[in-house]
């Protein structure tokens, strides 16, 4: 072991990822999502080479989950959600997967949501971008989006500095999208991993980074992590 490796091994991890680590984390997250969330659309990797000067890693791009709609947990909406899924799947096994997974479904007559997980070169952390639109393609103003968000979202955003929502240009699409600001992400990621000193220790942090991150950030927009994915964090 040379001196640089020795110093790196004892340097406390700052909660961030390199662009290549983000790609590895994204692949791991996408695979886990498909494994434990088989009856909802997958997160797909969208390659992009736009930011040549910001990253030397050949696999530049972002994760995408599109065409979803948020369903609140009221009795009426739970009934509608169950009926929607029954029409698209065989009953018992898939119902259980939906209940344990995420409050989303594919819909025709409601507000649609697209979600992207994008790497921020300046903060060196993932950022959740999202947009919403009617079935005719017209974008929703934020006032309407707030009505779709879970009831606890406003409370979380008012109490936590890292969950405020801003509207900015999507770094790859060059169109206005909403995003959850990443200013405090590295700090609470350090807390989630208990200040592990070695980021690449057995690859654990990289493999589980986005699962841990999304278990927190997804709550703000009503997306839940499947229980099976969370259980992998203790393995």
């Amino acid at each position: 072991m040379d001196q640089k490796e020795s110093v790196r091994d004892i340097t406390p991890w700052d909660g961030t990822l390199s662009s290549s680590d983000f790609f590895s984390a994204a692949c791991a997250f996408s695979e886990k999502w498909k494994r434990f969330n088989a009856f909802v659309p997958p997160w797909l990797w969208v390659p992009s080479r736009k930011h040549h000067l910001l990253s030397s890693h050949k696999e530049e791009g972002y994760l995408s989950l599109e065409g979803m709609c948020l369903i609140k947990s009221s009795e009426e909406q739970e009934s509608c959600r169950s009926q929607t899924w029954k029409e698209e799947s065989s009953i018992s096994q898939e119902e259980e997967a939906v209940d344990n997974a995420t409050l989303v479904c594919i819909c025709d007559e409601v507000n649609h949501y697209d979600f992207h997980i994008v790497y921020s070169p300046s903060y060196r952390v993932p950022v959740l971008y999202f947009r919403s639109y009617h079935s005719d393609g017209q974008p929703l103003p934020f006032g309407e989006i707030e009505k779709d968000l879970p009831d606890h979202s406003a409370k979380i955003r008012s109490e936590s500095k890292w969950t405020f929502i801003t509207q900015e240009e999507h770094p790859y699409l060059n169109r206005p999208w909403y995003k959850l600001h990443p200013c405090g992400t590295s700090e609470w990621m350090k807390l989630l991993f208990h200040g592990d000193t070695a980021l690449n220790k057995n690859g654990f942090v990289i493999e589980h980074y986005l699962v841990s991150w999304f278990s927190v950030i997804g709550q703000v927009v009503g997306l839940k992590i499947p229980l099976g994915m969370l259980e992998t964090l203790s393995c």
Side-chain angles (χ1 to χ4, degrees):
M1 179 182 296
D2 61 28
Q3 185 176 3
K4 288 184 178 179
E5 290 178 339
S6 177
V7 171
R8 183 175 57 202
D9 287 342
I10 64 175
T11 300
W13 178 50
D14 64 0
T16 66
L17 293 174
S18 68
S19 59
S20 58
D21 287 339
F22 171 72
F23 174 71
S24 298
C27 291
F29 179 80
S30 177
E31 288 302 313
K32 285 184 172 66
W33 183 271
K34 285 189 288 187
R35 189 192 323 161
F36 295 105
N37 229 1
F39 303 109
V40 297
W43 284 92
L44 300 176
W45 180 258
V46 180
S48 176
R49 298 298 303 275
K50 178 178 180 180
H51 296 145
H52 298 291
L53 300 179
L54 298 181
S55 172
S56 60
H57 192 255
K58 63 181 180 180
E59 297 290 354
E60 188 181 359
Y62 56 91
L63 283 173
S64 174
L65 177 68
E66 299 192 347
M68 309 301 292
C69 61
L70 299 183
I71 304 297
K72 289 190 176 181
S73 299
S74 69
E75 181 177 349
E76 178 181 355
Q77 289 164 326
E78 285 290 324
S79 174
C80 176
R81 174 167 62 97
S82 177
Q83 182 62 34
T84 299
W85 281 98
K86 285 180 183 178
E87 291 173 355
E88 295 180 353
S89 60
S90 58
I91 298 176
S92 60
Q93 180 182 5
E94 297 187 359
E95 282 183 352
E96 180 180 356
V98 172
D99 289 339
N100 291 333
T102 179
L103 296 177
V104 296
C105 64
I106 300 179
C107 307
D108 294 323
E109 302 299 330
V110 297
N111 300 332
H112 297 261
Y113 283 80
D114 297 338
F115 299 95
H116 291 172
I117 300 175
V118 180
Y119 180 72
S120 168
S122 54
Y123 286 93
R124 292 171 54 84
V125 295
V127 181
L128 182 67
Y129 283 81
F130 68 96
R131 66 167 184 156
S132 183
Y133 47 94
H134 297 293
S135 296
D136 62 4
Q138 290 297 314
L140 268 66
F142 188 68
E144 289 192 47
I145 292 175
E146 283 191 302
K147 296 177 183 178
D148 285 342
L149 298 180
D151 293 336
H152 63 263
S153 176
K155 186 174 186 293
I156 293 174
R157 286 183 284 120
S158 67
E159 295 178 351
S160 304
K161 68 177 184 180
W162 48 266
T163 54
F164 66 90
I165 296 174
T166 61
Q167 188 177 42
E168 297 184 12
E169 185 177 274
H170 191 293
Y172 292 98
L173 304 181
N174 300 318
R175 295 194 295 270
W177 280 51
Y178 293 101
K179 77 172 187 179
L180 294 178
H181 202 279
C183 60
T185 299
S186 61
E187 291 301 317
W188 54 262
M189 287 305 296
K190 284 194 297 184
L191 294 176
L192 286 178
F193 284 100
H194 309 294
D196 284 357
T197 58
L199 177 58
N200 288 310
K201 183 180 181 181
N202 298 323
F204 181 86
V205 173
I206 294 176
E207 179 181 355
H208 297 286
Y209 188 101
L210 282 182
V211 175
S212 296
W213 171 82
F214 199 78
S215 69
V216 177
I217 216 73
Q219 296 180 50
V220 182
V221 294
L223 290 173
K224 291 184 178 180
I225 283 281
L227 180 60
M229 289 180 71
L230 293 176
E231 289 176 345
T232 65
L233 296 175
S234 59
C235 296

